[in-house]
Amino acid sequence: MARIQSWKVQPGLSVHAYGSDRVGLLTNAFVVETDAGLIAVDALMRVSDARGLSALCKDLRKPLLAVIITHGHPDHYNGVTELVSNNPVPVIATAGVDAVMRTFDDAKERKWKPVFHSDWPAQR
């Protein structure tokens, strides 16, 4: 079962943490909530977790303004496609993070798709 925690940092600024269960390897993503909208920090590994993160964003009833990917492991970027749901949301990563994702994505899929089956995103 997913874990969700929220902190009010100051008026107009909150942080929400979404954590996957043990099957999802206890990975985390965060949503920074401002008066203007939401910024997701990472997007989790499994489709089901990305959908949970997306539901959290919808429950906050503010637009998703951007997704920031902190580094190139699939538990940080796999869920981006599910999270943005074809909306024109910028996905931000450094050039180094982008290079790691593109270089190792096929190898990570070979390793993890047999573990997660249909919960591994077809499009990343």
Side-chain angles (χ1 to χ4, degrees):
M1 182 172 212
R3 306 171 324 273
I4 298 173
Q5 294 181 297
S6 297
W7 301 271
K8 184 115 178 142
V9 177
Q10 63 186 41
L13 180 64
S14 297
V15 176
H16 309 275
Y18 184 99
S20 69
D21 60 17
R22 290 186 188 277
V23 176
L25 305 177
L26 300 172
T27 59
N28 296 296
F30 298 88
V31 176
V32 178
E33 178 185 7
T34 70
D35 289 336
L38 310 172
I39 299 171
V41 180
D42 294 327
L44 302 160
M45 184 154 38
R46 300 180 302 171
V47 171
S48 58
D49 289 322
R51 286 180 180 161
L53 183 61
S54 181
L56 171 62
C57 290
K58 287 177 182 153
D59 287 347
L60 295 171
R61 297 181 181 198
K62 293 182 180 176
L64 182 61
L65 303 173
V67 180
I68 298 171
I69 305 302
T70 60
H71 69 278
H73 293 156
D75 59 307
H76 296 266
Y77 70 85
N78 262 15
V80 167
T81 302
E82 190 70 39
L83 184 60
V84 301
S85 300
N86 298 316
N87 292 319
V89 175
V91 178
I92 302 164
T94 66
V97 168
D98 182 63
V100 169
M101 289 186 296
R102 293 176 191 280
T103 300
F104 297 104
D105 185 65
D106 289 341
K108 296 296 184 178
E109 182 174 46
R110 284 191 300 276
K111 178 178 181 176
W112 291 108
K113 188 173 183 177
V115 174
F116 295 117
H117 308 285
S118 64
D119 213 8
W120 181 266
Q123 185 177 5
R124 294 175 300 288

